[in-house]
């Protein structure tokens, strides 16, 4: 390109990339065809006259996020950098909660009903919330230990409702009960029944995922050794909101649900947006199992789990995108 061509190309590029003018407008200004404008802009890129740089915050991995979204048929996938010093057996990185709080701020709209399930990640997310449009917040599961309600999912529901200025509907009951009869009796109590009445109205839900091992699954930790062995024999690989899944994403141990205070899997499947928050190498296989179930539409995870998920072989994902897009409500 000669000096006149370079100057013209630079001017056209400025109009197009910085001033936002269309190729037709540029063509009219310079007295050329829009096809010539297109060729000049293409040449400007090839000759390095124009450099296009896509920048996201350093903690976000845009390439892995997009690959994960496409691989598992998700509506949204956000991958954050794993801490450099994270141990293989470390729990979910706390920054997952912060990023999930930002995502929730995008997904929740005024008048929505936000559902929060028990989980350390959802609790961290609620603590990191700084903005939410006015919405109702409902608890989707009982608590791990009723004695820790103030520091757990009940407080998460209160926190989210306080940020949004909406109503809070917590559940003051344990997640797992000794038998189905006790669980049924609790579900009939006024406060708990009121929360359950909102389950069919939930438009956005946040859930956590646990692998079937001690310290990583709340349900695993609450069961007896005999019960753990029984569900392991059925192929339990993952747990989400007291629902168990094998490696292929099939639900197993449905009898456990009869003893639990939790949103039913069929109701979860009808929620337009279900965001799972989970990461770390130790949870990676469990995350893959839950993604295959089709219950989750979006995921916030870290690079350690994402690398495993992107290179995993075996049964394909079950995309959850056949649900109504919440943005078209």
């Amino acid at each position: 390109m000669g000096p006149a061509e370079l100057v013209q190309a630079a001017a056209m590029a400025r109009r197009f990339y910085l001033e936002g003018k269309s190729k037709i407008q540029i063509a009219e200004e310079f007295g050329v065809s829009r096809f010539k404008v297109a060729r000049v802009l293409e040449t400007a890129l090839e000759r390095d006259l124009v450099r296009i740089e896509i920048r996201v915050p350093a903690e976000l991995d845009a390439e892995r996020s997009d690959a994960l979204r496409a691989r598992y048929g998700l509506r949204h996938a956000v991958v954050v950098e794993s801490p450099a010093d994270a141990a293989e057996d470390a729990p979910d990185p706390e920054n997952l909660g912060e990023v999930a709080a930002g995502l929730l701020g995008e997904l929740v709209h005024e008048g929505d009903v936000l559902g929060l399930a028990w989980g350390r990640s959802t609790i961290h997310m609620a603590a990191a919330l700084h903005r939410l449009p006015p919405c109702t917040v409902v608890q989707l599961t009982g608590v791990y230990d009723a004695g820790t309600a103030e520091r757990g999912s009940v407080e998460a529901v209160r926190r989210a409702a306080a940020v949004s200025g909406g109503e809070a509907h917590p559940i003051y009951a344990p997640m797992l009960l000794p038998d189905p009869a006790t669980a049924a009796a609790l579900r009939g109590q006024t406060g708990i029944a009121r929360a359950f009445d909102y389950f069919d109205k939930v438009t956005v839900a946040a859930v956590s995922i646990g692998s079937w091992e001690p310290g990583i699954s709340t349900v695993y930790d609450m069961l007896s050794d005999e019960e753990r062995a029984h569900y392991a024999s059925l192929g339990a690989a993952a747990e989400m909101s007291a629902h168990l899944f094998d490696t292929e994403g099939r639900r197993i141990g449905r009898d456990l649900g009869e003893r639990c205070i939790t949103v039913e899997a069929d109701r979860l499947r009808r929620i337009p947006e279900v965001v799972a928050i989970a990461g770390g190498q130790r949870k990676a296989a469990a995350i893959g199992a839950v993604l295959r179930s089709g219950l989750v539409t979006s995921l916030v995870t870290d690079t350690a789990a994402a690398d495993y998920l992107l290179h995993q072989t075996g049964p394909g994902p079950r995309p959850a995108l056949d649900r109504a897009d919440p943005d078209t409500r």
Side-chain angles (χ1 to χ4, degrees):
M1 298 176 74
E5 291 176 309
L6 283 170
V7 169
Q8 185 184 66
M12 288 183 176
R14 177 175 295 278
R15 304 290 194 281
F16 186 74
Y17 291 108
L18 299 183
E19 298 176 11
K21 291 188 176 181
S22 69
K23 293 174 183 176
I24 293 177
Q25 290 174 314
I26 297 170
E28 290 176 351
E29 179 182 347
F30 287 87
V32 298
S33 71
R34 63 185 178 89
F35 300 105
K36 179 174 181 180
V37 173
R39 288 196 301 271
V40 170
L41 292 175
E42 184 178 349
T43 301
L45 284 172
E46 292 174 352
R47 300 290 180 87
D48 210 24
L49 187 63
V50 173
R51 296 181 182 180
I52 298 176
E53 184 177 9
I54 300 173
R55 301 182 65 183
V56 296
E59 67 174 352
L60 300 182
D61 192 309
E63 185 175 347
R64 284 184 175 93
S65 297
D66 187 55
L68 199 61
R69 178 199 56 76
R71 168 74 174 83
Y72 286 90
L74 298 168
R75 187 170 288 122
H76 304 283
V78 182
V79 178
V80 305
E81 289 288 343
S82 301
D85 57 350
E88 185 173 337
D89 59 349
D92 294 333
E94 289 194 18
N95 60 343
L96 291 187
E98 297 172 4
V99 173
L103 177 61
L104 219 59
E106 295 180 55
L107 300 181
V108 176
H109 297 83
E110 184 173 353
D112 276 350
V113 177
L114 170 63
L116 299 181
W118 158 262
R120 296 178 183 88
S121 296
T122 53
I123 292 169
H124 289 153
M125 178 205 67
L129 283 171
H130 295 294
R131 64 179 182 89
L132 274 180
C135 65
T136 299
V137 186
V138 60
Q139 194 169 323
L140 297 179
T141 63
V143 298
Y144 173 48
D145 180 351
T148 64
E150 294 298 321
R151 302 186 301 276
S153 45
V154 169
E155 179 56 30
V157 169
R158 288 175 176 166
R159 164 70 181 168
V163 171
S164 74
E167 295 181 2
H169 294 277
I171 293 177
Y172 296 96
M175 181 189 295
L176 179 66
L177 282 304
D179 52 71
T182 304
L186 277 177
R187 291 189 202 103
Q189 290 187 357
T190 303
I192 297 174
R194 187 179 299 116
F196 268 65
D197 286 343
Y198 274 93
F199 286 180
D200 286 329
K201 304 173 185 176
V202 173
T203 49
V204 180
V207 300
S208 295
I209 296 173
S211 54
W212 195 242
E213 55 182 309
I216 305 296
S217 165
T218 300
V219 173
Y220 182 99
D221 291 340
M222 289 191 289
L223 294 174
S224 67
D225 289 341
E226 183 179 355
E227 289 169 325
R228 293 167 186 162
H230 167 67
Y231 292 118
S233 71
L234 298 179
E239 176 257 319
M240 180 181 71
S241 302
H243 300 296
L244 306 183
F245 305 87
D246 66 12
T247 56
E248 297 182 6
R250 296 175 298 208
R251 285 188 60 215
I252 62 170
R254 293 172 186 250
D255 60 309
L256 182 64
E258 298 175 4
R259 297 170 50 195
C260 292
I261 303 296
T262 186
V263 60
E264 299 94 327
D266 288 342
R267 278 175 159 172
L268 268 177
R269 197 178 298 278
R270 292 195 295 269
I271 296 173
E273 188 74 79
V274 178
V275 181
I277 311 161
Q281 295 182 44
R282 196 170 171 185
K283 281 191 179 181
I287 297 169
V290 173
L291 291 181
R292 290 192 181 90
S293 74
L295 292 176
V296 169
T297 61
S298 297
L299 175 68
V300 177
T301 190
D302 67 343
T303 51
D307 286 343
Y308 174 91
L309 293 168
L310 290 171
H311 293 91
Q312 192 177 21
T313 58
R318 299 178 185 176
L321 298 188
D322 54 349
R323 307 186 203 186
D325 188 334
D327 286 338
T328 63
R329 294 193 301 271

